[in-house]
């Protein structure tokens, strides 16, 4: 408890002392209101070049203790406690080649409540920052970490200046994007992470500078959204085996990039004014080509709520990726067209919707719709390939006919994630489509969500299963903004729960583990997916797969697992053959396939890589070559790829 | 031989020209034409479908995909019992007619009711609802479809629903 008092003392001291960073500081008052005065002028962070206002919340603080210097104090009342050592920090942030020596100091991060009695104990406090609330009422803790992105590689010297000027530690560069660096504040730094990040961004020397946030909704066990109690899909208390482990994900992880992730909802249009949704600035009416979406029907807002309704805002429901930016791309479905007396959207307009999403920053594209046709729709498939090449995850619902997966999902290119529905009891929904195209399943019965009128409703269908997967995909990006989309797909498909009464078996065409036709790989598992990003959990080291068009005498790239696979995509009907070589070992086996239906892709071949059956301690580079035959002529390409042991920590 | 061939050809053309889709689907007892008042009442009180629960004035149960519910109404009392009591009901001569009102689920809202008919099959009446798929994209949201039909007085038998899609 003494430590908590100290926290308040520190918070007041630090904020009071930092007028050089935050002008006109007026937070020292006796008011107990969380949103007192208009302090949003003073407290803010930068996101996409815009000032996002914050309101100070005096009832809490964010503190980091050094575990080696404190004894356990049972009186510290915290709503969350996160244990880190530096290894963990590097791993969580995706930091490569840290610039400082690992010293195995363990840190404990806590959001503490400021209900103090008396006494002071300064032992072990390494960092303290005030706690904030956003305009939407979401609590934000500012951790001791902040990141900056260099404008150019030659600006690396500026980092040293930051370290000196603000007395902070340089932790290292992001392993995926070396232009992003992570830094850490402590008691001796000249400000907390928010203050320093703002100053750095406002200097104009960096592309961005942002503190790492811990969002309160992620640390409270159960969100305060009043309808959350009806959301069995996020917290299946009656059957925990069929739970998607949403709460566990929120409790275990932070999502520093949530504000930078956009999920496109290609649908009937979202109510852009729904108070429980965070709507992206960009929207599009693919039916008319106008740069603002329309609301043709109820469905779009319903799908959007499942993906991204705010959590812990004391309103309505909670989304899988709470507060993620939702890009509304509207189309006119058949029934709405009939009601409105206009023509329904064409396949070209659907394809344009997907392309718009890909061109305008969407990381995930949700498609909860289908066409009444049994043939693949080439135009839409081309758009999906376009989006996948831009790094988007494309998710489709399986359809509701209790039959084979609907089109265009069924005939969509490899890499599209097709989602079926289950009910609360873990059985396949009696409407949910199934079959070889199905990838995974998610709740799709009695799903409470936002509605077009601004309120809430309960709905059914695979339309609402797909958004669960889209939401978890968004959270993977929110955790690691630089993660590759094919890695996201592999993680989603490998981290599932093998539920249900049907046997899961290995399939030649299903690379991510045992599978069955009613559940696909299994039930989406939000917590396990996040574990996988951190290198925890039962995720195999998957090498990235590629999809590339080939024409005559041109070559394709390949996707790799422990088994070497190629996923071949031809631009026209034809016969293809392939053969692999790894580390100069030639498989000598020629695999042939024929594909006569658009999009002309198929599994071409695979062979087991004869790697020693040992645990890899370090990433190992292999040279992989592939020969391909298309209508008569051989060509060749080389590719160097790494096998990375799972659990490997940089 | 030539005359015979021509005759067969003419016969088949005649047969095709007489057989439209509607006739194919309406192999049974078709509903009678209701009064304007009855038509207005149903158009205002019974939507063709709903995606978020019962939005009608009728006392429908909550059903799941694959289930259906059918009210067979043969008297004013029957009629009152299936509707919110505050509602003013249109006059129907139940001495001459049987009213059928019901609900069932469809995979999405991309269907329109094309025709309906009843077949008398020994101990049950089979109500066949034929739906036409609309061209284009549809949201993958399960929709509850509502239906009604006024028939000449039907025998008191259980009604079994059969859904056809064309």
């Amino acid at each position: 408890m003494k430590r908590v008092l100290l926290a308040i003392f520190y918070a007041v001291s630090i904020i009071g002392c930092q007028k050089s960073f935050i002008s006109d500081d007026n937070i020292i008052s006796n008011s107990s209101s969380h949103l007192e005065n208009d302090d949003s002028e003073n407290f803010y962070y930068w996101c996409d070049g815009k000032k996002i206002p914050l309101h100070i919340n005096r009832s809490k603080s964010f503190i980091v203790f050094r575990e080696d210097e404190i004894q356990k104090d049972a009186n510290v009342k915290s709503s969350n406690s996160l244990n880190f050592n530096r290894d963990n920090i590097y791993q969580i942030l995706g930091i490569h080649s840290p610039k400082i020596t690992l010293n195995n100091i363990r840190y404990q991060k806590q959001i503490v409540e400021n209900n103090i009695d008396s006494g002071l104990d300064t032992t072990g406090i390494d960092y303290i920052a005030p706690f904030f609330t956003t305009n939407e009422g979401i609590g934000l803790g500012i951790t001791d970490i902040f990141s900056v992105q260099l404008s150019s590689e030659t600006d690396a010297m500026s980092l040293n200046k930051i370290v000196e000027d603000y007395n902070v530690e340089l932790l290292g560069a992001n392993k995926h994007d070396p232009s992003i660096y992570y830094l850490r504040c402590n008691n001796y730094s000249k400000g907390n992470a928010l203050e320093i990040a703002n100053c750095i961004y406002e200097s104009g020397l960096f592309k961005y500078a942002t503190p790492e946030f811990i969002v309160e909704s992620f640390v409270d066990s159960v969100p305060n959204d009043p309808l959350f109690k009806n959301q069995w899909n996020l917290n299946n208390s009656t059957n925990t085996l069929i739970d998607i482990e949403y709460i566990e994900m929120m409790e275990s992880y932070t999502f520093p990039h949530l504000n930078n992730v956009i999920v496109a909802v290609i649908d009937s249009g979202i109510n852009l004014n729904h108070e429980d949704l965070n709507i992206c600035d960009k929207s599009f009416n693919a039916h008319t080509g106008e740069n603002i979406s329309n609301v043709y029907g109820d469905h779009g807002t319903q799908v959007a709520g499942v993906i991204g309704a705010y959590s812990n805002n004391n309103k309505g429901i909670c989304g899988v990726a709470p507060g993620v930016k939702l890009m509304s791309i509207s189309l006119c479905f058949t029934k709405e067209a009939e009601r409105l007396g206009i023509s329904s959207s064409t396949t070209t307009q659907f394809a344009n919707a997907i392309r718009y999403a890909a061109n305008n920053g969407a990381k995930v594209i949700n498609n909860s719709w289908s066409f009444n046709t049994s043939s693949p729709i080439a135009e839409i498939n081309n758009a999906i390939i376009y989006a996948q090449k831009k790094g988007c995850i494309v998710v489709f619902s399986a359809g509701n006919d209790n039959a084979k997966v609907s089109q265009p999902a069924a005939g969509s290119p490899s890499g599209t994630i097709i989602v079926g529905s289950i009910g609360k009891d873990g059985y396949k929904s009696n409407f949910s489509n199934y079959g070889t195209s199905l990838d995974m399943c998610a709740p799709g019965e009695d799903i409470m969500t936002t509605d077009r009128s601004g309120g809430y409703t309960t709905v059914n269908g695979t339309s609402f299963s797909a958004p669960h997967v889209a939401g978890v995909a968004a959270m993977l990006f929110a955790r690691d903004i630089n993660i590759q989309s094919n890695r996201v797909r592999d993680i989603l498909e490998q981290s599932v729960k093998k539920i249900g009464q049907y046997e899961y078996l290995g399939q030649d065409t299903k690379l991510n583990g045992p599978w069955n036709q009613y559940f696909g790989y299994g039930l989406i598992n939000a917590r396990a997916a996040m574990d996988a990003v951190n290198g925890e959990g039962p995720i195999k080291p998957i090498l990235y797969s590629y999809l590339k068009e080939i024409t005559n005498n041109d070559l394709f790239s390949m996707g790799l697992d422990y088994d070497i696979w190629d996923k071949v995509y031809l631009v026209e009907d034809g016969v293809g053959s392939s053969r692999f070589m790894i580390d100069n070992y030639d498989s000598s086996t020629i695999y042939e396939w024929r594909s006569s239906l658009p999009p002309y892709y198929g599994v071409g071949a695979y062979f087991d890589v004869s790697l020693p059956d040992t645990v890899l301690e370090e990433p190992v580079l292999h040279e992989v070559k592939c020969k391909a035959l298309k209508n008569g002529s051989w060509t060749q390409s080389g590719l160097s790829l790494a096998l990375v042991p799972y659990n490997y920590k940089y | 031989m030539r005359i015979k061939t021509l005759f067969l050809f003419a016969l088949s053309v005649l047969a095709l020209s007489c057989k439209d889709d509607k006739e194919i689907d309406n192999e049974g007892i078709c509903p009678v034409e209701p009064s304007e008042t009855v038509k207005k009442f149903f158009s205002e009180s019974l939507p063709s479908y709903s995606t978020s629960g019962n939005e009608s004035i009728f006392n429908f149960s909550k059903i799941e995909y694959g289930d259906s519910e059918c009210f067979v109404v043969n008297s004013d009392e029957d009629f009152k019992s299936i509707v919110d009591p505050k509602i003013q009901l249109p006059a129907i001569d139940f001495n001459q007619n049987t009213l059928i009102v019901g609900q069932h689920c469809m995979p999405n809202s991309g269907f329109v009711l094309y025709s309906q008919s009843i077949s008398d099959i020994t101990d049950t009446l089979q109500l066949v609802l034929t739906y036409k798929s609309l061209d284009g994209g549809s949201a993958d949201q399960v929709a509850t479809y509502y239906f009604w039909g006024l028939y000449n007085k039907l025998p008191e038998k259980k009604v079994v629903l059969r859904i056809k899609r064309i």
Side-chain angles (χ1 to χ4, degrees):
Chain A
M1 199 57 77
K2 289 175 185 174
R3 194 168 295 117
V4 177
L5 178 58
L6 175 78
I8 299 306
F9 173 78
Y10 255 62
V12 170
S13 308
I14 287 175
I15 293 164
C17 292
Q18 298 301 325
K19 289 195 178 180
S20 60
F21 295 97
I22 303 170
S23 60
D24 301 327
D25 190 337
N26 61 354
I27 64 156
I28 304 171
S29 81
N30 292 320
S31 168
S32 59
S33 163
H34 292 184
L35 298 176
E36 61 202 282
N37 305 328
D38 182 13
D39 51 13
S40 58
E41 288 286 308
N42 302 323
F43 299 109
Y44 56 87
Y45 65 96
W46 290 96
C47 181
D48 296 338
K50 288 180 189 164
K51 263 187 186 179
I52 311 294
L54 295 170
H55 308 273
I56 193 131
N57 178 342
R58 271 192 202 80
S59 68
K60 293 176 183 173
S61 298
F62 186 87
I63 296 178
V64 178
F65 301 101
R66 279 180 62 146
E67 276 199 343
D68 58 335
E69 292 186 15
I70 60 167
Q71 292 177 343
K72 264 205 160 162
D73 181 349
N75 293 324
V76 173
K77 184 182 177 188
S78 68
S79 51
N80 184 47
S81 174
L82 303 167
N83 290 309
F84 296 94
N85 61 25
R86 283 177 197 246
D87 285 357
N88 288 342
I89 293 172
Y90 298 138
Q91 193 176 5
I92 289 164
L93 299 178
I95 294 172
H96 186 57
S97 60
K99 296 283 193 296
I100 56 172
T101 310
L102 301 182
N103 54 13
N104 281 326
I105 294 175
R106 288 190 66 82
Y107 294 90
Q108 196 179 96
K109 301 190 176 194
Q110 291 189 342
I111 294 168
V112 292
E113 293 181 15
N114 298 340
N115 49 350
I116 329 156
D117 42 22
S118 62
L120 284 173
D121 179 3
T122 59
T123 313
I125 289 187
D126 195 56
Y127 170 84
I128 186 163
F131 200 78
F132 294 96
T133 306
T134 67
N135 277 352
E136 294 79 25
I138 298 169
L140 284 183
I142 309 295
T143 81
D144 50 341
I145 308 288
F146 66 99
S147 57
V148 297
Q149 184 172 24
L150 304 179
S151 296
S152 72
E153 283 182 17
T154 55
D155 289 343
M157 289 300 289
S158 313
L159 284 170
N160 294 331
K161 192 162 177 355
I162 290 178
V163 170
E164 284 172 21
D165 288 355
Y166 297 98
N167 197 17
V168 293
E169 282 178 288
L170 179 60
L171 297 177
N174 183 288
K175 66 182 175 187
H176 304 294
D177 183 348
S179 70
I180 296 173
Y181 284 83
Y182 295 92
L183 300 101
R184 183 177 177 275
C185 315
N186 58 32
N187 279 343
Y188 303 101
S189 301
K190 293 178 180 172
N192 60 44
L194 175 71
E195 295 162 340
I196 297 175
N198 284 350
C199 287
I200 291 171
Y201 180 76
E202 287 160 11
S203 73
L205 296 174
F206 294 88
K207 262 191 192 168
Y208 80 71
T210 185
E212 183 192 51
F213 294 110
I214 284 191
V215 180
E216 190 175 34
S217 58
F218 300 167
V219 294
D220 285 351
S221 291
V222 177
N224 63 22
D225 307 72
L227 298 175
F228 184 76
K229 60 182 183 293
N230 300 326
Q231 291 189 270
W232 74 267
N233 51 316
L234 300 189
N235 186 23
N236 193 357
S237 51
T238 58
N239 192 345
T240 51
L241 294 175
I242 312 302
D243 187 44
I244 71 164
E245 302 200 11
Y246 168 83
I247 295 287
E248 289 79 358
M249 171 180 78
M250 291 306 204
E251 282 178 343
S252 307
Y253 292 102
T254 60
F255 300 90
H257 304 288
L258 188 60
N259 268 323
N260 300 319
V261 178
I262 296 172
V263 180
V265 179
I266 295 180
D267 213 288
S268 60
I270 305 173
N271 172 356
L272 303 179
N273 299 313
H274 200 296
E275 62 179 3
D276 216 358
L277 300 175
N278 184 11
I279 303 294
C280 177
D281 291 341
K282 286 180 179 170
S283 73
F284 182 55
N285 184 346
H287 190 71
T288 61
E290 291 168 287
N291 278 321
I292 183 161
S293 76
N294 188 25
V295 182
Y296 289 105
D298 301 332
H299 192 254
T301 312
Q302 295 167 350
V303 167
V306 178
I307 297 170
Y310 285 118
S311 76
N312 258 19
N313 60 346
N314 276 311
K315 285 174 192 156
I317 60 152
C318 183
V320 176
V324 74
K325 280 185 189 162
L326 297 159
M327 180 187 283
S328 177
I329 302 181
S330 58
L331 289 154
C332 191
F333 293 133
T334 56
K335 201 69 179 188
E336 281 82 38
E338 188 197 35
R339 181 173 52 81
L340 297 167
I342 58 177
S343 57
S344 63
S345 296
T346 62
T347 52
T348 304
Q349 288 162 331
F350 276 86
N352 286 343
I354 294 170
R355 286 198 178 88
Y356 178 90
N359 286 341
N360 286 277
K363 288 278 187 193
V364 183
I365 304 176
N366 188 85
N367 303 275
S368 289
W369 44 268
S370 57
F371 272 75
N372 177 31
T373 174
S374 56
S375 305
I377 303 171
E379 207 170 8
I380 291 175
N381 285 345
N382 288 337
I384 293 170
I385 290 168
Y386 178 82
Q388 288 174 336
K389 283 179 177 173
K390 288 216 157 214
C392 300
I393 285 285
V394 181
V395 183
F396 265 88
S397 50
N400 303 332
D401 297 275
N402 189 27
K404 285 184 181 171
V405 170
S406 310
Q407 297 290 359
S412 61
S414 163
T416 310
I417 302 176
I418 301 168
V419 189
S421 169
I422 60 153
K424 195 186 285 189
D425 53 8
Y427 285 91
K428 170 190 164 296
S429 301
N430 52 12
F431 52 78
S432 185
N433 286 352
Y434 53 88
T436 51
S437 311
L438 190 70
D439 291 310
M440 57 202 308
C441 60
E445 293 180 27
D446 294 326
I447 306 298
M448 179 144 270
T449 187
T450 47
D451 82 4
R452 176 187 183 175
S453 67
Y456 300 88
T457 187
T458 303
V459 287
N460 293 280
T462 54
S463 271
F464 308 101
S465 306
H468 286 82
V469 174
V472 176
M475 292 304 258
L476 287 168
F477 284 112
R479 182 115 191 89
D480 179 358
I481 195 71
N482 297 305
I483 192 169
Q484 301 260 347
S485 58
N486 39 19
R487 173 81 177 133
V488 169
R489 187 198 64 232
D490 289 340
I491 284 173
L492 291 172
E493 293 179 351
Q494 291 177 35
S495 60
V496 290
K497 284 185 175 178
K498 303 290 186 190
I499 62 159
Q501 66 277 43
Y502 304 106
E503 195 175 359
Y504 290 81
L505 298 169
Q507 299 280 328
D508 283 352
T509 54
K510 298 292 179 186
L511 303 180
N512 280 326
W515 173 95
N516 81 50
Q517 64 169 334
Y518 298 110
F519 298 104
Y521 290 106
L523 172 66
I524 182 89
N525 185 338
R527 195 262 317 145
M530 297 308 140
D531 289 349
V533 176
N534 282 352
E536 297 162 11
I539 303 301
K540 286 192 296 181
I542 292 292
L543 299 183
Y544 299 129
S545 55
Y546 297 88
L547 195 64
K548 187 179 177 184
E549 295 176 357
I550 62 169
T551 53
N552 274 345
N553 306 324
D554 194 4
L555 190 62
F556 55 88
S557 300
M558 71 211 95
L560 299 174
D561 197 339
Y562 267 133
D563 294 335
I564 302 292
W565 283 82
D566 65 2
K567 290 179 185 174
V568 181
Y569 177 76
L570 309 178
V571 294
E572 59 193 37
D573 182 13
V575 175
S577 301
S578 56
R579 170 171 164 178
F580 290 102
M581 181 183 285
I582 181 162
D583 296 341
N584 294 320
Y585 170 74
D586 190 340
S587 71
S588 302
T589 310
I590 296 172
Y591 299 87
E592 191 172 277
W593 75 94
R594 180 177 183 90
S595 183
S596 58
L597 284 175
Y600 309 122
Y601 72 91
V603 173
Y606 70 95
F607 73 91
D608 291 332
V609 182
S610 300
L611 293 172
D613 188 19
T614 54
V615 176
L616 298 174
E617 299 292 338
E618 298 286 331
V620 179
L621 277 177
H622 296 282
E623 185 185 34
V624 181
K625 289 178 180 172
C626 182
K627 291 180 178 180
L629 179 67
K630 169 77 200 312
N631 291 343
S633 303
W634 281 97
T635 52
Q636 183 169 341
S637 170
L639 194 61
S640 290
L641 291 170
L643 280 178
V644 183
Y646 95 82
N647 257 348
Y648 178 76
K649 291 176 181 174
Y650 289 98
Chain B
M1 183 68 180
R2 199 171 169 191
I3 291 170
K4 193 176 175 185
T5 309
L6 273 173
F7 175 73
L8 282 172
F9 177 71
L11 202 67
S12 58
V13 168
L14 189 68
L16 284 173
S17 64
C18 291
K19 236 181 166 185
D20 64 16
D21 285 350
K22 206 144 193 166
E23 282 175 334
I24 293 167
D25 289 324
N26 283 347
E27 292 166 351
I29 306 162
C30 292
V32 297
E33 184 67 15
S35 68
E36 286 305 315
T37 322
V38 171
K39 270 201 268 190
K40 184 167 183 286
F41 170 78
F42 278 101
S43 72
E44 288 172 357
S45 60
L46 189 67
S48 60
Y49 76 99
S50 165
T51 53
S52 50
N54 184 12
E55 294 171 358
S56 77
I57 59 164
F58 291 87
N59 303 327
F60 288 124
S61 315
K62 188 184 174 190
I63 58 166
E64 295 191 345
Y65 189 85
D67 296 340
S68 62
E69 185 173 37
C70 202
F71 299 132
V72 182
V73 181
N74 278 309
S75 68
D76 288 333
E77 287 69 34
D78 286 353
F79 199 7
K80 280 177 192 161
S81 71
I82 63 165
V83 183
D84 183 334
K86 295 175 211 153
I87 304 294
Q88 180 79 34
L89 299 174
I92 293 176
D93 180 359
F94 285 110
N95 292 322
Q96 301 294 320
N97 299 116
T98 297
L99 173 68
I100 292 181
V101 184
Q103 60 166 347
H104 65 94
C105 292
M106 293 288 273
N108 58 55
S109 52
F111 297 91
V112 283
L113 184 60
Y114 180 67
S115 68
Q116 62 171 293
S117 63
I118 280 187
S119 304
D120 195 345
I121 306 169
T122 56
D123 56 344
T124 57
L125 296 173
Q126 186 180 63
L127 171 61
V128 181
L129 300 178
T130 304
Y131 284 90
K132 204 168 187 174
S133 295
L134 296 167
D135 290 333
S138 291
D140 284 332
Q141 179 174 21
V142 172
T144 304
Y145 275 66
Y146 302 106
F147 58 89
W148 69 278
L150 192 64
Y151 290 83
N152 285 326
K153 198 73 178 176
L154 294 169
E156 300 255 349
K157 289 181 182 177
K158 187 184 172 190
V159 172
V160 176
L161 195 61
R162 184 176 156 217
I163 308 295
K164 280 174 73 176
R165 290 195 227 166
I166 57 171

